[in-house]
């Protein structure tokens, strides 16, 4: 009992002696707590103007808040002279962090990639992109995955790491797109007339003067059954769907113009040439007909 009383008396003396340090430590923790909350709100409001993803905003603000609070806690424990305890905690946290990091390597990689993607100016929600074999509108950039809505209304979920490590095409970065149409006309066609008619059709349906571009027309080759050409023009478009609609309209109008002027768009033709040496008689034909009927 005397030993217990002596121990309690020792603790009492230590407590009384460290009252100023304890008071300072409590003040530091108190200030760190409210500072972390203020930093959380400040960063959340600031990032709200740059990052549309709520999950990413919350992650960044909470990490910053935790750093502020842990810094205050570290100062408070230093004031209380808990250096040995701090070393033990840091050592244990370091070993645990390595183990957890190895176990969650894929998840952490996707999370970090999500944060990086959220700060990229060339990729935002609402953009129409093409990546990893998929094309569609960016619906969400979460902490772990990337959501694309394709033209057929299907949702494609792609890990953030895959988006960050592979190239992507962003159709929304430009307001103009170039469309190429390839076609062929018959060998009997007046090529100068075909060129003139195609250019007039495109210019009358797609205002190239407002865009500040010119329509291009080139003949490419003498093909098996047609003389092929390519026509290139520009349209105001921010996604692949608008580009597809413009191309469809151009094909329809060119076909109408060609039909009106009697210009033939031939389909592939194969001519079979039978030599005179081929012996075809009535008996063989009748036998062939009998076999076909039997079959």
């Amino acid at each position: 009992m005397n030993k217990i009383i002596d121990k309690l008396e020792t603790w009492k003396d230590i407590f009384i002696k460290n009252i100023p340090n304890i008071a300072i430590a409590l003040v530091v923790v108190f200030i760190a707590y409210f500072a972390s909350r203020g930093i959380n709100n400040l960063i959340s409001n600031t990032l709200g103007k740059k990052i549309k993803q709520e999950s990413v905003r919350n992650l960044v603000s909470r990490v910053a808040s935790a750093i502020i609070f842990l810094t205050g806690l570290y100062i408070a424990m230093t004031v209380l002279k808990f250096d040995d305890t701090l070393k033990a905690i840091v050592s244990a946290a370091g070993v645990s962090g390595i183990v957890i990091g190895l176990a969650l390597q894929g998840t952490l990689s996707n999370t970090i990639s999500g944060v990086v993607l959220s700060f990229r100016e060339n990729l935002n929600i609402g953009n129409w992109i093409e990546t990893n074999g998929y094309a569609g509108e960016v619906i969400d950039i979460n902490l772990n995955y990337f959501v694309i809505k394709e033209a057929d209304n299907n949702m494609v979920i792609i890990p953030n790491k895959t988006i960050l490590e592979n190239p992507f095409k962003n159709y929304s970065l430009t307001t103009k797109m170039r469309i190429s149409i390839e076609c062929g006309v018959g060998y009997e066609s007046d090529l100068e007339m075909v060129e003139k008619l195609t250019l007039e059709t495109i210019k009358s349906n797609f205002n190239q003067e407002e865009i500040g571009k010119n329509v291009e027309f080139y003949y490419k080759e003498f093909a098996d059954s047609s003389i092929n050409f390519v026509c290139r023009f520009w349209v105001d478009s921010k996604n692949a769907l608008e580009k597809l609609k413009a191309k469809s309209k151009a094909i329809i109008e060119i076909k109408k113009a060609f039909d009106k002027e009697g210009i033939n768009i031939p389909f592939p033709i194969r001519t079979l040439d039978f030599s005179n040496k081929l012996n075809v008689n009535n008996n063989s034909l009748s036998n062939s007909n009998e076999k076909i009927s039997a079959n």
Side-chain angles (χ1 to χ4, degrees), residues 200-212:
E200 290 178 352
T201 302
I202 295 299
K203 291 179 180 179
S204 61
N205 288 277
F206 304 94
N207 194 336
Q208 302 297 288
E209 294 181 358
E210 292 182 358
I211 300 176

Side-chain angles (χ1 to χ4, degrees), residues 40-59:
N40 187 359
N41 295 330
L42 177 63
I43 293 179
S44 180
N45 294 332
T46 303
L47 293 179
K49 301 176 181 178
K50 296 183 178 181
I51 302 178
K52 298 181 180 180
Q53 295 77 18
E54 182 179 358
S55 57
V56 177
R57 291 201 306 267
N58 292 337
L59 175 67

